[in-house]
């Protein structure tokens, strides 16, 4: 499971021009599910991402995690994070999980984050979405569940 995590001052996801999820200060998480992922990957990222100390303390140092910063999380599924671009010009997505497996693990990740007391908004799995954000910093991290 791979996540691109961006510290944002606000983020919003829309489907067909209609807002379906939005947050203020917090983390925008673009989440890609690999065919090899298991439930343990969801729980590993649900523990790891909110604990990242990437929000500034009163001295301006990245020292606070999501909860200490009073932030929210917006989760958007994105299978293209599993792209393999090594051959040819057209990316291969053969490492991405099939849709039903990916949907199940995506929903489990959201539930696991909520069980931790986080306020979580999300996009619509499998829909064509538009994501708007204001990256704060900018701070952008790539986190893989195998390294969490």
């Amino acid at each position: 499971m791979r996540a691109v995590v961006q510290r944002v001052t606000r983020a919003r996801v829309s489907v067909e021009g209609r807002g379906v999820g939005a947050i203020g200060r917090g983390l925008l998480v673009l989440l890609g599910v690999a065919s090899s992922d298991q439930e343990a990957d969801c729980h590993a990222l649900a523990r790891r991402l909110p604990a990242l100390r990437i929000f500034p303390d009163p001295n301006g140092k990245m020292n606070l995690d999501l909860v200490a910063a009073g932030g929210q999380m917006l989760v958007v599924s994105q299978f293209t994070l599993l792209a393999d671009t090594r051959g040819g010009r057209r990316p291969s997505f053969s490492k991405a999980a099939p849709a039903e497996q990916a949907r199940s693990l995506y929903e489990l990740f959201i539930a696991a984050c909520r069980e931790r007391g986080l306020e979580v908004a999300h996009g619509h799995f499998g829909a064509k979405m538009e994501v708007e954000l204001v990256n704060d910093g900018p701070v952008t991290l790539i986190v893989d569940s195998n390294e969490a």
Side-chain angles (χ1 to χ4, degrees):
M1 188 169 279
R2 184 170 295 151
V4 172
V5 180
Q6 299 181 59
R7 187 179 76 188
V8 298
T9 55
R10 59 182 156 80
R12 178 177 190 267
V13 60
S14 302
V15 176
E16 297 180 357
R18 187 175 59 88
V20 296
I23 62 169
R25 183 180 192 203
L27 298 177
L28 169 63
V29 178
L30 303 174
L31 189 70
V33 180
S35 59
S36 60
D37 287 335
Q38 307 283 320
E39 290 184 8
D41 295 282
C42 299
H43 294 291
L45 282 188
R47 279 190 309 271
R48 185 75 180 136
L49 299 185
L52 294 170
R53 295 179 3 181
I54 59 174
F55 291 89
D57 67 15
N59 296 318
K61 295 194 181 253
M62 287 201 294
N63 217 8
L64 302 178
D65 64 20
L66 182 63
V67 174
Q72 304 165 303
M73 182 182 284
L74 175 61
V75 182
V76 177
S77 62
Q78 188 172 344
F79 76 94
T80 60
L81 295 177
L82 281 299
D84 182 350
T85 59
R86 292 178 291 174
R89 297 184 304 155
R90 181 180 215 164
S92 168
F93 302 106
S94 63
K95 293 181 181 175
E100 283 312 307
Q101 176 191 358
R103 177 190 305 270
S104 174
L105 293 176
Y106 165 78
E107 291 172 354
L108 179 60
F109 171 75
I110 292 169
C113 289
R114 286 180 173 153
E115 286 172 6
R116 297 183 158 279
L118 300 174
E119 186 176 336
V120 182
H122 59 85
H124 286 184
F125 182 90
K128 182 178 183 310
M129 294 177 275
E130 293 182 351
V131 179
E132 302 170 58
L133 70 135
V134 176
N135 192 320
D136 182 23
V139 175
T140 302
L141 307 172
I142 299 171
V143 182
D144 194 291
S145 59
N146 295 327
E147 300 166 359

